[in-house]
Amino acid sequence: MSVWTYIWLAILIVSILVEAGTMGLVSIWFAAGALIAWALAMFEVSEWIQCLVFVLVSGLLLFFTRPLVKKYVTPKICLLYTSDAADERS
C-alpha cells in the first residue's frame, strides 16, 4: 500500500468527524470523494488520477446535491409574530 492510501483514509476520517461535529452538511461530499480516491489508491492507480477523481467527485456531488439537501433537509424556521411582538419592534 502506498502512502496515498493513508492520506485518503485520513481525509475520509477527518471529513466524517467534521461533518459529525457540525451537522450542517459541510464536508460529506469530501468524504465521498476521499472514499473513491482511497479505493483507487488500494488498486495502486496513479496519484494524479486519485487527486483528479477526488476533486471531480467532491465537486460534482457538491454542485448537484447541495441545493437539494438545502431545500429538503435544512429545517425551516417559522417566525410567528403577534401584534404585541410587532409593536415591540417598531
Side-chain angles (χ1 to χ4, degrees):
M1 284 194 296
S2 72
V3 69
W4 282 95
T5 305
Y6 299 108
I7 291 171
W8 295 122
L9 189 59
I11 292 172
L12 175 64
I13 291 170
V14 168
S15 296
I16 290 172
L17 290 175
V18 167
E19 189 62 44
T22 60
M23 298 302 286
L25 294 174
V26 174
S27 62
I28 196 69
W29 297 277
F30 301 111
L35 180 65
I36 302 299
W38 174 77
L40 292 175
M42 293 295 289
F43 288 109
E44 298 181 0
V45 175
S46 172
E47 290 87 5
W48 72 271
I49 293 177
Q50 295 171 32
C51 292
L52 180 65
V53 167
F54 170 74
V55 170
L56 287 175
V57 168
S58 299
L60 288 173
L61 285 174
L62 182 65
F63 182 76
F64 286 112
T65 61
R66 182 153 171 83
L68 294 173
V69 169
K70 284 185 79 168
K71 182 176 181 180
Y72 294 110
V73 176
T74 305
K76 305 289 188 235
I77 299 174
C78 295
L79 299 175
L80 299 176
Y81 293 106
T82 62
S83 60
D84 293 336
D87 291 340
E88 290 176 7
R89 291 186 306 149
S90 346

